[in-house]
Amino acid sequence: MPPGLAATSHPALSPADAARFEAALFGGDESREWAAMQQAARAIAAAVLRDFDEIGPLPPEPRILVLAGKGHNGGDALLAAKFIHEKHPRARIETCLVFGERVLRPLALRAWRELSHAPPCRARPCVAPRLTDGENSRPDARSGPTSILPGPPFDIVLDGIFGFQFRPPVEPRIAALLARVNASPARLRAAVDLPSGLGTPDVFLADFTYATGIVKSPALAEENRAAVGRLRYLDLGFWDNTANPSPVPADPPAAAILTPAVLSPLRVLRSPLTDKRDYGHLFIVGGSRGYPGAVIMAALAALRSGAGLVTVFVPETMAAACAARAPEAMWVAWPETPEGGLALEGAHLFRERADRATALLVGPGLGREAETLALAADLAKLSAVPLVLDADALQPAIVGAGAASRILTPHVGEFARIAAALPGAGAVTVLKGPVTRINDGGATTHHSLFGGPVLARGGSGDLLAGLIGGLLAQEPAQPLLAACRGAVWHGLAADRLARAQGQRAVNITQLLDHLAGVLREDVPAAAAGKVTSGK
Ligand SMILES: NC(=O)C1=CN([C@@H]2O[C@H](COP(=O)(O)OP(=O)(O)OC[C@H]3O[C@@H](n4cnc5c(N)ncnc54)[C@H](OP(=O)(O)O)[C@@H]3O)[C@@H](O)[C@H]2O)[C@@H](O)CC1
Ligand SMILES: Nc1ncnc2c1ncn2[C@@H]1O[C@H](COP(=O)(O)OP(=O)(O)O)[C@@H](O)[C@H]1O
């Protein structure tokens, strides 16, 4: 693993390994566990409120439901509700202690006391068996347990019934509660650490799952995606202590989670003595009469990547319009086929300039004409610089051509198309989707959890390809790092875009205006109140 990734990509663990890891980290010391619970809860509260911005502002009196079990998962949820309440003192918090108050473990009880005694908190217990339709859901200051479901939709539901100590099955009473909560309208459903009942049919259905301290591997499993929703990793600093005494997982891990810190080297001052040639020169080959926009979007993203120079080869009838849209790039007009794709006869234009490139991106908007694909295969074969192959260039005959290192950026459909050609290609594969999985043929798959459905629109992949291409042009010897950084940067910019404008009324090129903000915001400080080893 490149050194730039080792410290900024944290292992995902099985629940059993996570339990062992935490046991060793805290050494059974309750004060340290309490500190960790506070830190986890603050992080959950902050993340939930931040993610709510994708919907809009919280109403003045948000209605919040907390489902709490007896353990630390419940404690985290209860304390998170307390911290949300501190920010929104008029919040109406309804708390369902699903096993009752008497069985709460010490820290969960302490969390419950903090929540219910925090003046003027209106948190009131709702006991699961009393969840009847007829009861008034608005807790009154002195009333006892109330019903949770009638009334207006909850703004936030926080699920803290079971965390990584869950053992199936879910007992019928709790299964019924979960079914009822799942069927009730709610604006944002948040699972603490893991959705309760994960792996069974009786599972909490989350919009977001907030993994505290460690991502547990079931949260990454494809079959659990519908229940997990969007997975957020809340880095609590568990991996910062190099002298960690815990049973460290097998090295290298099968799955690792990328953190925003992978972008830190992009936040440093550049040397005053440099010029544009020190920051790489990306060549992009793409565009066709049928798809003129994709290559423009890739070029726009490359221009924001920090690359010093970007040259784009496009069909000749497009070049003038492209130059008007992005004059910062050099647009080379390439002879066209009758259908408007790149013709083989233009290859000399590329060859004449080839020694200036430090990386090459082929694919955005290329089209699938046989002549153009043959040209793309020739370019891949002859390239002396690392490649990014995207979109229509993701064909078995192209991904396997030539010896230059390469990054492939398929979505699931494109991945299926090239899968057979991958073993010999020695490529870094960026498998795009709600979670983006990056692998260079090694044992570890790096996961970018950033970005969300705001990206589910045409063009977001073109922006990613341009960004990765631009990063690769700057560090041609580090394709894995370029791929990981590109995915994280793109995803974090998408999250910022969705928080600023919501998920709907968006043009995907607006993501470009959030790339700078990602680099200029603080890396979330796992360090705040860092949890340290007891040894
Ligand atoms: N230091 C901290 O504060 C940190 C806290 N973190 C948080 O703590 C969570 C782990 O907390 P935890 O160990 O208390 O276990 P948790 O999953 O809440 O279960 C509680 C109990 O439920 C029970 N139970 C299990 N299955 C059951 C079933 N089917 N039906 C009924 N009961 C069932 C079982 O008890 P038993 O039945 O054995 O008495 C179990 O012990 C973790 O996921 C994360 O959210 C960390 O991430 C950060 C550091
Ligand atoms: N629901 C989603 N959540 C997170 N990311 C998504 C989601 N849908 C799409 N994306 C991301 O958007 C991009 C889509 O790429 P792609 O399918 O190639 O789109 P296009 O070809 O239209 O540009 C990828 O980076 C993918 O990870």
Side-chain angles (χ1 to χ4, degrees), residues 19 22 26 32-38 40 44 69-76 99 105 107 160-171 174 192-194 210-214 216 236 238:
E22 290 191 9
F26 301 123
R32 253 191 241 120
E33 288 179 350
W34 177 244
M37 188 176 280
Q38 302 236 37
I44 294 162
K70 53 188 152 186
H72 289 177
N73 193 250
D76 285 356
F99 299 108
R105 301 264 159 77
L107 295 187
I161 303 179
F162 304 119
F164 61 49
Q165 301 277 10
F166 169 66
R167 300 177 313 272
V170 178
E171 66 187 74
I174 295 177
V192 174
D193 205 28
L194 290 168
Y210 298 93
T212 49
I214 298 166
K216 288 80 190 176
L236 304 181
F238 288 8

Side-chain angles (χ1 to χ4, degrees), residues 86-339:
E86 280 176 5
K87 286 236 153 53
H88 295 272
R90 292 168 67 198
R92 291 174 290 142
I93 298 175
E94 297 172 44
T95 308
C96 181
L97 305 175
V98 297
F99 299 108
E101 190 171 334
R102 270 177 306 153
V103 297
L104 288 178
R105 301 264 159 77
L107 295 187
L109 181 61
R110 193 166 164 187
W112 166 237
R113 292 210 171 113
E114 291 233 345
L115 172 65
S116 54
H117 294 169
C121 187
R122 299 161 84 184
R124 289 290 169 270
C126 295
V127 184
R130 297 196 49 167
L131 300 178
T132 59
D133 286 331
E135 287 182 75
N136 180 2
S137 67
R138 282 193 63 136
D140 204 332
R142 298 287 151 229
S143 67
T146 59
S147 163
I148 58 167
L149 293 183
F154 287 99
D155 294 293
I156 296 169
V157 176
L158 273 176
D159 159 42
I161 303 179
F162 304 119
F164 61 49
Q165 301 277 10
F166 169 66
R167 300 177 313 272
V170 178
E171 66 187 74
R173 183 179 63 90
I174 295 177
L177 167 67
L178 284 171
R180 199 152 154 195
V181 171
N182 286 337
S184 303
R187 299 176 76 196
L188 189 154
R189 297 164 192 275
V192 174
D193 205 28
L194 290 168
S196 295
L198 195 64
T200 78
D202 305 308
V203 60
F204 177 79
L205 298 177
D207 296 309
F208 288 90
T209 292
Y210 298 93
T212 49
I214 298 166
V215 170
K216 288 80 190 176
S217 43
L220 293 172
E222 204 55 32
E223 65 271 20
N224 291 334
R225 194 201 280 178
V228 169
R230 287 163 71 184
L231 181 59
R232 296 286 197 208
Y233 167 42
L234 304 181
D235 178 4
L236 304 181
F238 288 8
W239 301 100
D240 292 0
N241 188 348
T242 46
N244 207 305
S246 51
V248 178
D251 192 27
I257 310 301
L258 289 160
T259 70
V262 75
L263 300 178
S264 295
L266 309 185
R267 298 185 167 99
V268 300
L269 283 176
R270 287 178 157 186
S271 160
L273 303 180
T274 51
D275 78 7
K276 62 195 172 197
R277 287 161 300 173
D278 294 312
Y279 298 109
H281 189 161
L282 177 67
F283 278 20
I284 304 177
V285 177
S288 59
R289 194 176 301 153
Y291 302 100
V295 70
I296 300 177
M297 290 190 278
L300 289 169
L303 288 165
R304 302 273 179 126
S305 71
L309 293 161
V310 178
T311 293
V312 199
F313 300 86
V314 291
E316 56 198 359
T317 54
M318 284 175 56
C322 291
R325 179 70 178 84
E328 301 89 342
M330 290 163 279
W331 297 89
V332 180
W334 189 295
E336 296 181 20
T337 64
E339 286 74 28

